[in-house]
Amino acid sequence: MKPITVQTVAAAIGGTLLSGNPETCISGICTDTRRIVPDTLFVPIVGERFDAHDFINDALKAGCSATLTSKKEVKSEKPVIYVPDTCHALGALAGYYRRSFSLPLVGITGSVGKTTAKEMTAAVLETKLSVLKTQGNLNNEIGLPLTLFQLEAHHEAAVIEMGMSGFGEIDRLAQIASPDIVIMTNIGLSHIEKLGSQENIYKAKTEFLPHLRPNGKVIINGDDPILWAHRKDFPIGSITVGTSPEHDLSACDITESATDVSFTVVHEGYKQPIRLSFPGAHNVVNALLACAAGLSIGVSLKEAAKALEAFIPGDRRMEFIKQNGLTIINDCYNAAPASMEAGLRVLVAQPGRKIAVLGDIKELGDYAEKAHRDIGSLVAKLSVDALFTLGENGLLIAEAAKEGGMAPDSVFAFSEIEELKHTLKEFTKEGDVILVKASRAMCLERVTACLTA
């Protein structure tokens, strides 16, 4: 982070300096007293189960140069800045800091595929530019500001993920990030429990529109029916991508194998072959979104193709692990109906006995029963060799798989993960391919850890 004075911080967030030297410089932001480094500003966040104001004195003693507070009784010789809401102030400061950079910022939003699209986009841009990108799942009202504070003078572009679970969140994140380009991956069922319909999800996802920078553009997955139906909502110059020739950037000649997927990108008459070195035809659209962002910022399709061929997904997202004679498709970072279907299709394209380990998909509300039963029916239709499920809704997957014709002795449903792990480990044999997939709350990485131990 570029150094800024406490006086500048207070002005940027509308805060009041209660004590300390206004010329004190800070060169970092800290919200966690376990990660304090010198010359940082401590921002105490009030959470559901804790209030970090209780740790202000500890933070200042440990080396923080200044602190924010929403409680005026804080006493210190170091700078203390009062604001009514520290979380809001964190975002306001991040917005001020982001606007001190003239670099192009690409925001990523959508129901599923945000992280893969973000990683692919960053990989494409990195062929020519120094890129800051969101790490992990730092895509909320705390994580996004902390990402923006990592901008340095050498950065030439940023790729920032914007997550949400309800109305108002994308509005606040986009106001902070001031995106030049926004990529929309799709409108699925994630968070429908809270928002009620896919149209409402679309409305919540597009709250960024008033915060696009002048001449900003939106890149949408035109294969998504809701985004395609709303394509005229977006600014002039926005781009559609997809597997139909009617899109601005399209893919044809798609060929998928157990280990990769190849296709040809067509743009204004130019054709560029691209090969992804991992399976999954659903990733073709993610690659197109990344290519479109690259073209918008000066990266050619040829350069993008080279970057995408070298790209490997990771961090529990369609991660292939070969160990103990098994091939594990570790895709347990999160789940939605569409991503679970994509994972199953990747599984059945592999050689060997195919085992699906599936758990609950969260936040589906009234759609939960149908969505999980549809997944179970698909498991049976795709001729998966064995199914292991975890959780109350996982039981619905198992029931629907048996109703769809899957042999009862190849379907195992569990309410406790330890029993699942034990039975699965006894069941597997050399050469098996195992998909591990569920919402993050199910913590199915414990199954992956068991299989690789």
Side-chain angles (χ1 to χ4, degrees):
M1 180 180 177
K2 297 186 297 185
I4 56 176
T5 66
V6 165
Q7 187 174 28
T8 300
V9 170
I13 61 179
T16 302
L17 186 63
L18 299 180
S19 64
N21 182 357
E23 297 303 318
T24 300
C25 275
I26 60 109
S27 56
I29 307 295
C30 175
T31 60
D32 186 339
T33 54
R34 296 167 297 182
R35 299 176 181 177
I36 290 174
V37 295
D39 301 322
T40 54
L41 171 70
F42 182 60
V43 181
I45 301 298
V46 179
E48 292 181 3
R49 295 187 295 271
F50 68 92
D51 183 349
H53 284 80
D54 296 339
F55 306 107
I56 285 178
N57 289 332
D58 294 337
L60 294 174
K61 288 177 183 178
C64 284
S65 299
T67 184
L68 299 188
T69 180
S70 60
K71 299 179 180 180
K72 291 185 177 180
E73 61 269 22
V74 174
K75 305 293 183 183
S76 175
E77 293 182 357
K78 290 184 176 181
V80 176
I81 303 171
Y82 170 78
V83 291
D85 185 320
T86 53
C87 186
H88 176 78
L90 177 70
L93 183 59
Y96 167 83
Y97 185 71
R98 180 268 181 270
R99 285 184 282 274
S100 70
F101 293 82
S102 59
L103 51 72
L105 186 146
V106 182
I108 312 277
T109 191
S111 294
V112 296
K114 291 187 296 295
T115 301
T116 301
K118 174 211 49 176
E119 293 292 336
M120 285 185 166
T121 300
V124 166
L125 298 185
E126 283 168 352
T127 61
K128 299 185 77 170
L129 304 169
S130 174
V131 179
L132 173 71
K133 65 179 180 180
T134 300
Q135 297 296 322
N137 64 336
L138 296 176
N139 62 7
N140 60 16
E141 291 182 64
I142 297 172
L144 183 144
L146 292 178
T147 297
L148 292 176
F149 288 125
Q150 296 174 35
L151 282 169
E152 299 284 358
H154 66 85
H155 286 122
E156 299 168 298
V159 183
I160 304 298
E161 189 175 325
M162 300 187 297
M164 54 135 266
S165 60
F167 286 117
E169 293 175 64
I170 292 293
D171 176 64
R172 293 188 289 272
L173 295 178
Q175 186 175 13
I176 295 167
S178 298
D180 300 90
I181 298 169
V182 171
I183 290 174
M184 299 194 72
T185 61
N186 47 53
I187 302 297
L189 296 176
S190 300
H191 311 303
I192 201 165
E193 179 179 24
K194 190 172 184 178
L195 290 167
S197 71
Q198 285 184 290
E199 277 297 320
N200 281 343
I201 293 171
Y202 168 79
K203 290 175 184 177
K205 292 289 185 185
T206 51
E207 290 174 347
F208 65 82
L209 284 169
H211 306 296
L212 272 177
R213 289 192 134 186
N215 302 314
K217 66 178 66 175
V218 183
I219 302 170
I220 69 165
N221 168 12
D223 285 354
D224 182 277
I226 294 178
L227 290 177
W228 180 249
H230 285 280
R231 63 192 181 280
K232 293 182 180 179
D233 295 353
F234 304 113
I236 294 171
S238 294
I239 300 170
T240 69
V241 309
T243 54
S244 168
E246 64 190 324
H247 299 306
D248 300 309
L249 207 69
S250 62
C252 62
D253 304 326
I254 300 171
T255 304
E256 183 181 14
S257 75
T259 58
D260 62 12
V261 57
S262 300
F263 57 99
T264 300
V265 179
V266 182
H267 176 62
E268 296 181 348
Y270 177 79
K271 295 184 177 182
Q272 175 64 53
I274 293 182
R275 173 185 169 272
L276 303 178
S277 56
F278 51 95
H282 62 285
N283 283 307
V284 170
V285 168
N286 288 327
L288 290 173
L289 294 168
C291 287
L295 286 171
S296 300
I297 301 177
V299 179
S300 70
L301 285 178
K302 186 175 182 179
E303 291 166 326
K306 185 176 180 180
L308 291 171
E309 183 163 354
F311 174 78
I312 300 293
D315 190 23
R316 295 169 286 162
R317 293 177 175 87
M318 207 60 70
E319 178 185 15
F320 276 66
I321 303 171
K322 293 183 181 290
Q323 196 162 332
N324 300 333
L326 306 172
T327 299
I328 301 155
I329 306 173
N330 189 34
D331 197 26
C332 57
Y333 182 82
N334 217 338
S339 64
M340 195 167 277
E341 176 180 345
L344 286 166
R345 293 191 183 281
V346 170
L347 171 66
V348 298
Q350 308 304 310
R353 192 170 64 151
K354 301 156 186 61
I355 302 170
V357 181
L358 308 177
D360 292 358
I361 304 171
K362 300 295 187 180
E363 299 182 336
L364 294 179
D366 293 341
Y367 291 78
E369 181 171 356
K370 182 180 185 304
H372 287 88
R373 287 192 175 279
D374 286 348
I375 291 295
S377 299
L378 181 64
V379 169
K381 181 180 178 181
L382 293 177
S383 300
V384 173
D385 294 300
L387 171 65
F388 287 70
T389 70
L390 179 67
E392 184 178 346
N393 287 320
L395 179 60
L396 298 176
I397 297 175
E399 290 175 353
K402 288 187 283 189
E403 290 167 4
M406 198 166 179
D409 61 356
S410 62
V411 179
F412 307 86
F414 300 92
S415 58
E416 300 294 334
I417 195 167
E418 291 303 321
E419 188 179 358
L420 184 154
K421 285 161 53 178
H422 175 77
T423 307
L424 178 64
K425 198 146 191 177
E426 292 292 318
F427 183 85
T428 55
K429 61 184 180 182
E430 187 172 350
D432 286 349
V433 185
I434 306 157
L435 169 68
V436 184
K437 181 77 173 169
S439 283
R440 191 183 313 163
M442 302 301 291
C443 300
L444 281 196
E445 61 269 17
R446 293 174 291 175
V447 173
T448 301
C450 171
L451 294 172
T452 57

